[in-house]
């Protein structure tokens, strides 16, 4: 590690939060989870996106939510971080199964009802729970996501093959992101520097072109991901799960939880039309666009995002 890299590591990793960690069993799967804040405070469950670990909910967001009087729970999906890896060939699963995982985490912490905040795929999981388990959802926040039932995997494949979107289909990821995705998955045997060399260019595209890109922040995050993962490529199973078991966009008409749709104006994965469609499908949903934000949660936006969540869950 160079002197500059050592400086960056010290700058970005010295203050990791430590919560009440638990291993949650659900069927044959074990999920890593942790809780922060007073157990008597209103609970917020943070649900991450595809191939992403729970710790990718920035400590800065968690800290601000706790300081705002919330109990915060975050966890690793199956096939990410310290949670179980699954042989998808013999034990395939769907978004519905991942939603059941979220309920198992709440049960483990003795939480009957929670404010759900889901990012990307986590937004679909949270939306599904708002439809199927409404009694457990105090509020819903869908962040950098899309409407329930959207088949992103098929849309991406069509775009990669140069095919036009189907009639009525939401816009695909940007061409720049599609190109980056084709080279974003490292060799399973890659060392840390080889892994970072593959991942950082993807984060640069996901981050977007408007807000300054802090490479040190993303490097520190990915180093933490690398060190925690049982299998860095197991999360690709989330793509195989796709939209299976998530339901239909029309199901969102039954959502009774107060709903906030948060989205970046520069999201290259799910262009703003995805947020607009989500908000239109949920009765009374409120749409808030974050100027300059892409498809990431940079520390520079911790305060803004936490403020929006605190306001919505008050």
């Amino acid at each position: 590690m160079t002197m500059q890299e050592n400086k960056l590591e010290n700058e970005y990793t010295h203050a990791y939060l430590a919560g009440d960690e638990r291993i949650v069993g659900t069927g044959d799967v074990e999920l890593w989870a942790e809780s922060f804040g007073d157990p008597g405070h209103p609970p917020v469950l943070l649900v991450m996106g595809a191939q992403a670990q729970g710790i990718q909910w920035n400590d800065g967001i968690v800290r601000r939510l706790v300081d705002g009087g919330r109990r915060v729970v975050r966890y690793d999906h199956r096939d990410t971080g310290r949670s179980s890896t699954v042989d998808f060939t013999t034990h395939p699963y769907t978004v519905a199964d991942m939603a059941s995982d979220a309920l198992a985490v709440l049960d483990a912490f003795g939480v009957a009802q929670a404010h759900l905040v889901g990012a990307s795929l986590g937004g679909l999981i949270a939306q599904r729970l708002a439809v199927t388990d409404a009694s457990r959802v105090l509020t819903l926040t869908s962040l950098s996501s899309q409407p329930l039932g959207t088949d992103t995997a098929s849309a991406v494949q069509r775009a990669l093959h140069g095919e036009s979107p189907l009639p009525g289909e939401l816009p695909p990821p940007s061409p720049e992101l599609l190109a980056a995705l084709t080279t974003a998955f490292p060799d399973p045997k890659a060392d840390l520097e080889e892994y970072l060399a593959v991942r950082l260019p993807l984060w640069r595209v996901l981050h977007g072109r408007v807000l300054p890109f802090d490479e040190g922040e993303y490097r520190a995050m990915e180093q933490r991901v690398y060190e925690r993962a049982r299998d860095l490529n197991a999360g690709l199973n989330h793509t195989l799960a796709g939209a299976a078991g998530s339901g239909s966009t029309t199901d969102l008409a039954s959502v009774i939880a107060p709903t906030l749709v948060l989205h970046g104006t520069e999201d290259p994965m799910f262009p703003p039309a995805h947020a607009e469609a989500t908000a239109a499908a949920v009765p009374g949903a409120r749409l808030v666009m974050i100027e300059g934000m892409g498809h990431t949660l940079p520390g520079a936006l911790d305060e803004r995002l936490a403020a929006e969540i605190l306001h919505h869950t008050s």
Side-chain angles (χ1 to χ4, degrees):
M1 179 178 290
T2 67
M3 183 178 298
Q4 178 64 19
E5 289 168 344
N6 185 63
K7 178 181 177 182
L8 288 172
E9 180 178 359
N10 290 336
E11 178 180 353
Y12 290 101
T13 65
H14 69 280
Y16 287 151
L17 290 180
D20 171 16
E21 297 188 35
R22 302 191 187 180
I23 298 298
V24 178
T26 173
D28 295 329
V29 174
E30 291 187 334
L31 305 169
W32 173 90
E34 64 179 345
S35 174
F36 304 87
D38 188 329
H41 287 170
V44 174
L45 179 67
L46 302 178
V47 188
M48 240 307 145
Q51 305 162 35
Q53 299 182 15
I55 52 93
Q56 289 174 261
W57 286 104
N58 293 344
D59 285 357
I61 291 178
V62 173
R63 186 180 293 110
R64 286 169 171 81
L65 293 177
V66 170
D67 289 346
R70 304 294 185 272
R71 181 190 188 187
V72 179
V73 179
R74 63 184 179 184
Y75 68 102
D76 289 339
H77 291 299
R78 58 177 71 193
D79 279 325
T80 67
R82 295 177 180 169
S83 291
S84 296
T85 56
V86 178
D87 183 340
F88 198 89
T89 302
T90 58
H91 294 89
Y93 58 86
T94 67
V95 171
D97 297 309
M98 298 179 76
S100 294
D101 290 347
L103 293 180
V105 170
L106 291 180
D107 290 342
F109 286 100
V111 176
Q113 296 179 304
H115 300 281
L116 302 187
V117 182
S120 197
L121 175 64
L124 292 179
I125 292 171
Q127 290 172 37
R128 177 179 169 81
L129 289 173
V131 170
T132 63
D133 294 86
S135 65
R136 305 204 61 176
V137 181
L138 294 172
T139 66
L140 167 64
T141 299
S142 183
L143 169 63
S144 301
S145 192
Q146 55 185 163
L148 201 65
T150 307
D151 189 355
T152 300
S154 296
V156 167
Q157 286 302 312
R158 283 191 290 274
L160 286 172
H161 287 89
E163 301 174 14
S164 300
L166 298 177
E169 190 173 58
L170 291 168
S174 70
E176 185 180 13
L177 178 56
L178 289 172
L181 287 171
T182 63
T183 59
F185 303 102
D187 187 299
K189 298 180 181 179
D191 64 24
L192 175 60
E193 290 306 316
E194 292 169 335
Y195 172 79
L196 291 172
V198 171
R199 296 296 292 174
L200 289 177
L202 174 64
W203 283 112
R204 188 176 291 276
V205 176
L206 286 168
H207 177 86
R209 300 178 178 180
V210 175
L211 299 178
F213 180 76
D214 186 342
E215 181 172 320
E217 176 184 357
Y218 287 96
R219 182 184 181 89
M221 177 192 71
E222 279 287 15
Q223 179 172 339
R224 195 177 181 193
V225 166
Y226 180 91
E227 292 169 348
R228 295 180 77 253
R230 293 187 180 188
D231 181 342
L232 286 165
N233 287 331
L236 290 171
N237 287 338
H238 295 170
T239 303
L240 297 176
S246 68
S248 167
T249 301
T250 57
D251 294 338
L252 293 175
S254 69
V255 172
I256 59 175
T259 299
L260 170 65
V261 179
L262 275 175
H263 211 86
T265 60
E266 306 302 316
D267 192 324
M269 183 67 193
F270 302 134
H274 289 254
E276 294 164 1
T278 304
V282 179
R286 184 166 59 93
L287 174 61
V288 174
M289 301 299 297
I290 307 296
E291 190 66 35
M293 186 173 82
H295 196 70
T296 67
L297 305 178
L301 292 176
D302 284 352
E303 185 172 354
R304 172 69 188 280
L305 293 173
E308 293 287 354
I309 295 168
L310 287 170
H311 175 71
H312 184 60
T313 59
S314 61

